[in-house]
Amino acid sequence: VKSPKKITIRYREDVKQDMRILLQTGTDEAGEPIYRTFDVMDYNDIENKKKRLEVTCNEVGING
């Protein structure tokens, strides 16, 4: 069972629920980047200060 993940990012006004987050986790033997992919489900302005967003998302997959 996959559980939702929470990722904190800097504040952005253009974040929407149909977006994805790519998180580079390293590189493979050939030097190509390896990414984890997350679908954005919801987001929240932490403390309503327009400094950070807490994004709730589901992991879609890992390339590489």
Side-chain angles (χ1 to χ4, degrees), residues 1-40:
V1 176
K2 290 187 177 183
S3 61
K5 308 287 188 234
K6 289 193 178 182
I7 298 173
T8 302
I9 62 172
R10 67 176 170 80
Y11 182 82
R12 296 178 53 146
E13 291 189 13
D14 62 342
V15 174
K16 295 183 172 86
Q17 290 182 338
D18 63 347
M19 295 180 132
R20 285 190 166 175
I21 294 176
L22 294 177
L23 176 66
Q24 185 175 350
T25 59
T27 56
D28 62 13
E29 298 82 26
E32 296 294 320
I34 298 173
Y35 295 100
R36 291 173 68 181
T37 306
F38 301 89
D39 280 336
V40 173

Side-chain angles (χ1 to χ4, degrees), residues 38-59:
F38 301 89
D39 280 336
V40 173
M41 296 170 34
D42 198 14
Y43 51 91
N44 182 33
D45 179 6
I46 300 173
E47 301 173 0
N48 293 318
K49 294 185 177 181
K50 294 188 176 185
K51 292 189 177 194
R52 294 178 289 164
L53 286 178
E54 183 177 73
V55 181
T56 304
C57 48
N58 279 326
E59 188 163 6

